[in-house]
Amino acid sequence: MKLLLAIVNNDDAHSVNSNLSKEGFFVTKISSTGGFLMSGNSTFLLGVEDDRVEKAIEVIHAHSKKRVQNVPYDISCHSGNVIPAVNKVTVGGATVFVLNVEDCRHL
Ligand code: 2BA
């Protein structure tokens, strides 16, 4: 068995969640925050049998879009003026970690 940790954009979270459930996966959704942009995202925990891992990743992939996000920053000039500027950062689709599970018990 594997534990999938899937970090997904909040805008895709509902679609990822409902489609995983529709395919029979048991899902826990945690609200999380990206350390770089400091904006909200969603982390899904899924306990998955080995032969269903690729299907889970396929569903997550199908419903996670790439987005370009503007990150504003200021450039300070020698004159003392500050010029506002924007960096573009591509976020997503999804980041998925696959971990081995030693044991899982529903009590
Ligand atoms: P954030 O940390 O807010 O990162 C948002 C996007 O900013 C990233 O998109 C990436 O394009 C860029 N980025 C992140 N750290 C960077 C850095 N040190 N230098 C330059 N650019 C950087 P994604 O790669 O699609 O990541 C989306 C979210 O997934 C991340 O949000 C973070 O919450 C999570 N994530 C991605 N890779 C991770 C990892 N190796 N470990 C833990 N969490 C990760």
Side-chain angles (χ1 to χ4, degrees):
M1 185 180 214
K2 303 281 191 248
L3 176 67
L4 270 57
L5 294 181
I7 304 162
V8 169
N9 194 294
N10 272 345
D11 294 340
D12 297 327
H14 179 77
S15 168
V16 168
N17 199 351
S18 56
N19 282 284
L20 285 169
S21 295
K22 206 186 298 174
E23 291 291 341
F25 292 103
F26 287 15
V27 177
T28 297
K29 177 177 164 294
I30 298 173
S31 295
S32 45
T33 304
F36 190 68
L37 296 179
M38 297 302 286
S39 62
N41 50 31
S42 297
T43 299
F44 290 93
L45 308 185
L46 296 84
V48 177
E49 293 305 332
D50 287 13
D51 62 352
R52 297 263 289 153
V53 168
E54 287 311 316
K55 179 65 189 175
I57 290 173
E58 193 184 295
V59 173
I60 294 164
H61 186 200
H63 298 279
S64 301
K65 299 185 184 71
K66 276 192 184 1
R67 292 178 175 79
V68 176
Q69 207 162 316
N70 290 329
V71 183
Y73 67 102
D74 290 331
I75 301 169
S76 301
C77 302
H78 289 301
S79 61
N81 290 339
V82 175
I83 302 169
V86 169
N87 253 338
K88 289 190 184 300
V89 175
T90 303
V91 185
T95 301
V96 182
F97 298 91
V98 182
L99 288 74
N100 286 320
V101 173
E102 197 171 329
D103 196 6
C104 170
R105 300 176 191 203
H106 287 284
L107 303 176

